[in-house]
Amino acid sequence: MKSIKADLHIHTIYSPDSKQGPEQIVRRAKKKGIGAVALCDHNTCESFNWISENTDKDGVYQGIIVVPACEISTDRGHILGLFLKEPLNLDSLVSTDVYSYKDVHSAIKKAGGIVCAAHPFESVNVCTDYLSMVDCIEVYNARAASINDKANSAAAVYAEKISKPYTAGSDAHILNEIGNAFLEVKLVEVSLLELKTAVLKGDGIVWGKESSMRNRALSQLIKQYKLKNEPALFKRILVLTFFCLIDLLKFAGLINKDKGTISMKEGNAHVSNSKDREKS
């Protein structure tokens, strides 16, 4: 059995607010001891070409399991399609501002994937009526933790209540966020199929630490840069500068630092420090 740390929510250059390529993601994951990454871009499956050209028959590239995935905005919140066997045909789905959850659910199943609710309790306007229909729930999202400090614990409690397996992901849009959250599982062999089986069985342990608001501000700056929206770009530079200052004040001990690392197993969560995590 091999222990694998799987970061099951990472964005690539194909998302409007990220500039990290799949190759860069794999290299950073390897450097940080992450054994699996899910490439989940906003409303697109464009990373599939890179995955199909570079991974072997087990879905592995340079020793890292690369999960074909996407993150779709629906009328019930963000939905991850994980372990997809083919890209979603989003052009066939009706969309105004967002897609219909039922349509997205069906499309993910048709593509051979599993349906995962992404950061379902991040917003104050929480909709839970669809959660009984998903295959698993993301109970730690490193970015959600910086927006709503109760988002992840609420997701874990609800997942336990309705007996849904856990997943976790950094929601990384910036390279330094990769590995901020992951699901640690034991696999007989390093492969997509083994990882998918382990996720659905719910045997793993979730680890996560809060991502800095600086990273969120930087990804929004990247989005405006890609759009060539100069007025909004200037505003985003000011926001990024503000959060850089906040991080400097935290580092200097002048304001409270973020919470420690969170680990969860079977619905129970406790706070541990980074040294505890490194020992595990």
Side-chain angles (χ1 to χ4, degrees), residues 182-209:
F182 56 82
L183 179 71
E184 189 168 9
V185 294
K186 294 186 184 300
L187 307 182
V188 175
E189 60 181 27
V190 179
S191 72
L192 265 177
L193 182 59
E194 276 287 310
L195 179 59
K196 180 180 179 180
T197 301
V199 168
L200 290 174
K201 282 176 65 178
D203 287 342
I205 300 174
V206 167
W207 293 94
K209 65 178 181 180

Side-chain angles (χ1 to χ4, degrees), residues 107-132:
I108 291 171
K109 288 299 185 181
K110 187 176 180 180
I114 66 176
V115 181
C116 177
H119 46 78
F121 289 84
E122 179 181 37
S123 170
V124 291
N125 300 314
V126 178
C127 176
T128 60
D129 61 349
Y130 71 99
L131 292 178
S132 62

Side-chain angles (χ1 to χ4, degrees), residues 221-239:
L221 177 62
I222 289 169
K223 182 177 182 178
Q224 299 308 322
Y225 175 79
K226 284 185 173 182
L227 292 171
K228 295 181 169 48
N229 187 341
E230 291 187 9
L233 192 61
F234 179 70
K235 178 181 177 181
R236 292 300 173 184
I237 290 171
L238 292 178
V239 173

Side-chain angles (χ1 to χ4, degrees), residues 74-280:
T74 80
D75 54 7
R76 290 295 185 270
H78 287 193
I79 299 297
L80 299 179
L82 300 173
F83 302 97
L84 298 171
K85 293 181 179 178
E86 60 187 51
L88 299 190
N89 183 8
L90 293 173
D91 291 338
S92 67
L93 306 184
V94 177
S95 171
T96 50
D97 292 331
V98 294
Y99 293 95
S100 158
Y101 166 74
K102 289 184 179 179
D103 288 347
V104 170
H105 185 283
S106 296
I108 291 171
K109 288 299 185 181
K110 187 176 180 180
I114 66 176
V115 181
C116 177
H119 46 78
F121 289 84
E122 179 181 37
S123 170
V124 291
N125 300 314
V126 178
C127 176
T128 60
D129 61 349
Y130 71 99
L131 292 178
S132 62
M133 295 181 277
V134 303
D135 297 307
C136 49
I137 294 176
E138 184 182 63
V139 302
Y140 201 96
N141 178 294
R143 283 199 162 201
S146 64
I147 293 292
N148 178 353
D149 62 3
K150 295 180 175 59
N152 292 317
S153 58
V157 168
Y158 201 87
E160 183 72 9
K161 178 182 176 182
I162 61 173
S163 301
K164 294 293 181 180
Y166 291 169
T167 71
S170 62
D171 203 353
H173 292 62
I174 312 298
L175 283 174
N176 66 17
E177 294 180 283
I178 293 171
N180 278 353
F182 56 82
L183 179 71
E184 189 168 9
V185 294
K186 294 186 184 300
L187 307 182
V188 175
E189 60 181 27
V190 179
S191 72
L192 265 177
L193 182 59
E194 276 287 310
L195 179 59
K196 180 180 179 180
T197 301
V199 168
L200 290 174
K201 282 176 65 178
D203 287 342
I205 300 174
V206 167
W207 293 94
K209 65 178 181 180
E210 181 181 325
S211 182
S212 169
M213 282 296 294
R214 179 186 74 251
N215 293 317
R216 188 181 287 265
L218 180 55
S219 62
Q220 288 302 308
L221 177 62
I222 289 169
K223 182 177 182 178
Q224 299 308 322
Y225 175 79
K226 284 185 173 182
L227 292 171
K228 295 181 169 48
N229 187 341
E230 291 187 9
L233 192 61
F234 179 70
K235 178 181 177 181
R236 292 300 173 184
I237 290 171
L238 292 178
V239 173
L240 176 59
T241 302
F242 170 76
F243 284 114
C244 285
L245 178 60
I246 293 295
D247 281 352
L248 282 173
L249 292 173
K250 287 180 179 179
F251 181 77
L254 298 177
I255 60 176
N256 290 336
K257 294 186 177 181
D258 299 328
K259 294 179 179 179
T261 301
I262 301 291
S263 68
M264 300 182 208
K265 184 176 182 181
E266 298 176 353
N268 299 314
H270 68 271
V271 177
S272 60
N273 61 35
S274 297
K275 290 181 180 179
D276 291 335
R277 173 177 164 182
E278 289 166 4
K279 290 175 183 176
S280 66

